[in-house]
Amino acid sequence: MEDNIWARLPEDLLNEILARLPPFMVFRLRSVCKRWNSILQDQSFLKFHSKVPSHGPCLLTYWKNSQTPQCSVFSLPLKQWLRIPFTFLPVWAFLLVGSSGGLVCFSGTLPSMHYNQQRQFLMVVDCKDRSFKVIATSDIYSDRSLPTEVYDSKLNKWLLHETMPAVNLCSLKMAFCESRLYLETLSPLGLIMYHLDSGHWEHVPARFHWSLLDGYLVAGTQKRLFLVGRIGLHSTLQSMKIWEQDHTKLVWIEVSRMPPRYFRALFRLSAERFECFGQHNLICFTSWNQGKGLLYDVDKKVWSWIAGFALQPYNSQVCFYEPRFDTSVF
């Protein structure tokens, strides 16, 4: 399109066109002219942007290099790494709590908790209410007698909720799905569920596969909850499976199995360390020793390598991140 045509475009039409571009491309286009440079403060543009479907999530990696925070984002749509300057973070922000709704949360950036002891954290964003909450629960190594704490951004303080029941957790991984937080338990076998709205805990007797070696809970869309893990007692017989919970019958139903060629490439050693996390029915597998990334689309039932993806330093923390311009909290 010729330059003079762009110059004559109505403001609303131009904003609608730019709102449909991937967020990282909009940042690059800000250098075109003063008009485009101020577009992120334009309410008309933000209104169009809020109505456009997501262009797809990114993988955010965070680590420290000589006490200097470093952050890179791998854009799945653009298939390239992009560096995000996080030099504004204080030196004590060493832990990536998580990302939700376009926000990224780090430890130490919130007010002090009632009980400042080791916990595991999860952040939840309410876009309609323009607020977020951070849930702090006990983990495998922490004191189980401590009450669950929830930070409310609107109140700017931590609230005390019910203490987690006496259970043996079998994983540090948890998943948040439709106002409910899920963790795996060995005793009693199944899941333990936390209701964010009421602040109460509840046991869910959904037993998982007897030969499960390491399991990850992954939240999907529309109340879907997945269990991902390796099974098999011997390295030559191991495989990776994905189950979905039947909330009515409280059973796990197998929905997919990682093809052997992907499993062998991603896990060359029987005790290979890996991470697994999901968003929008996408499940990502990363292998720390191999430095690879594998993506599974639950809806399309398609496995694919993440082209151009390679993990940063071994101490990186990784999560899904969806860049948004319309995210704001009080």
Side-chain angles (χ1 to χ4, degrees):
M1 187 181 291
E2 297 181 3
D3 294 343
N4 60 341
I5 298 179
W6 276 106
R8 293 199 301 268
L9 282 178
E11 190 78 18
D12 285 351
L13 180 56
L14 177 62
N15 286 336
E16 185 171 2
I17 293 174
L18 295 178
R20 296 180 181 278
L21 296 175
F24 291 112
M25 293 188 66
V26 175
F27 273 112
R28 294 177 180 178
L29 292 174
R30 292 175 64 193
S31 61
V32 172
C33 61
K34 292 182 179 180
R35 180 187 179 191
W36 289 14
N37 186 46
S38 61
I39 195 169
L40 296 184
Q41 286 76 44
D42 191 312
Q43 293 301 316
S44 175
F45 167 78
L46 295 177
K47 179 181 178 181
F48 283 118
H49 175 74
S50 65
K51 297 179 180 179
V52 174
S54 171
H55 291 277
C58 302
L59 293 176
L60 184 147
T61 62
Y62 173 75
W63 73 99
K64 281 201 169 184
N65 185 9
S66 301
Q67 298 302 313
T68 301
Q70 305 285 336
C71 180
S72 292
V73 170
F74 183 79
S75 172
L76 294 176
L78 300 179
K79 294 182 173 56
Q80 66 179 112
W81 282 102
L82 301 161
R83 181 62 61 89
I84 297 181
F86 273 9
T87 53
F88 60 88
L89 286 175
V91 295
W92 34 261
F94 61 91
L95 178 65
L96 172 64
V97 173
S99 173
S100 176
L103 296 180
V104 181
C105 182
F106 297 90
S107 65
T109 56
L110 300 177
S112 298
M113 300 171 59
H114 294 272
Y115 299 92
N116 190 20
Q117 296 190 27
Q118 180 173 326
R119 302 289 190 97
Q120 54 181 339
F121 300 91
L122 185 139
M123 181 177 68
V124 181
V125 171
D126 188 334
C127 296
K128 293 182 179 180
D129 195 38
R130 298 177 64 186
S131 65
F132 71 92
K133 294 181 179 180
V134 176
I135 307 172
T137 71
S138 300
D139 63 17
I140 295 178
Y141 310 105
S142 63
D143 186 353
R144 306 290 176 78
S145 65
L146 298 178
T148 304
E149 297 195 41
V150 177
Y151 173 79
D152 190 320
S153 65
K154 283 199 166 184
L155 302 176
N156 192 30
K157 66 178 183 180
W158 290 90
L159 305 176
L160 294 178
H161 285 195
E162 188 176 87
T163 301
M164 179 189 295
V167 297
N168 290 326
L169 300 175
C170 60
S171 172
L172 290 175
K173 302 301 178 182
M174 51 187 177
F176 187 83
C177 180
E178 296 294 328
S179 300
R180 293 174 175 86
L181 177 69
Y182 295 90
L183 297 95
E184 298 173 70
T185 61
L186 281 175
S187 177
L189 191 62
L191 303 175
I192 188 169
M193 177 175 63
Y194 172 73
H195 298 265
L196 179 59
D197 296 334
S198 63
H200 296 299
W201 289 91
E202 176 186 345
H203 174 62
V204 181
R207 296 173 175 267
F208 37 82
H209 198 280
W210 65 272
S211 63
L212 184 68
L213 298 177
D214 39 22
Y216 288 79
L217 291 174
V218 176
T221 58
Q222 299 178 344
K223 300 183 180 181
R224 301 182 74 179
L225 182 66
F226 302 101
L227 174 64
V228 181
R230 282 183 292 196
I231 63 170
L233 300 179
H234 304 285
S235 59
T236 55
L237 301 177
Q238 286 184 10
S239 63
M240 183 75 70
K241 289 187 176 183
I242 301 175
W243 299 267
E244 181 174 357
Q245 188 189 66
D246 185 322
H247 294 281
T248 303
K249 299 180 180 179
L250 299 180
V251 295
W252 294 102
I253 300 174
E254 183 178 337
V255 294
S256 185
R257 180 183 299 206
M258 184 181 293
R261 66 180 185 278
Y262 290 117
F263 184 84
R264 290 192 296 267
L266 199 63
F267 308 104
R268 295 184 179 179
L269 303 175
S270 60
E272 191 89 50
R273 181 189 172 190
F274 76 100
E275 292 286 340
C276 175
F277 42 90
Q279 181 172 304
H280 300 319
N281 292 345
L282 292 176
I283 301 177
C284 180
F285 301 82
T286 60
S287 169
W288 292 93
N289 289 338
Q290 306 303 325
K292 295 180 178 179
L294 180 65
L295 198 66
Y296 178 67
D297 190 317
V298 177
D299 296 328
K300 298 179 181 178
K301 301 186 182 300
V302 174
W303 296 86
S304 60
W305 293 111
I306 303 176
F309 177 79
L311 280 176
Q312 299 296 328
Y314 70 94
N315 59 344
S316 297
Q317 297 169 277
V318 187
C319 70
F320 270 121
Y321 166 63
E322 183 180 357
R324 301 290 307 178
F325 295 132
D326 57 327
T327 300
S328 61
V329 295
F330 292 115

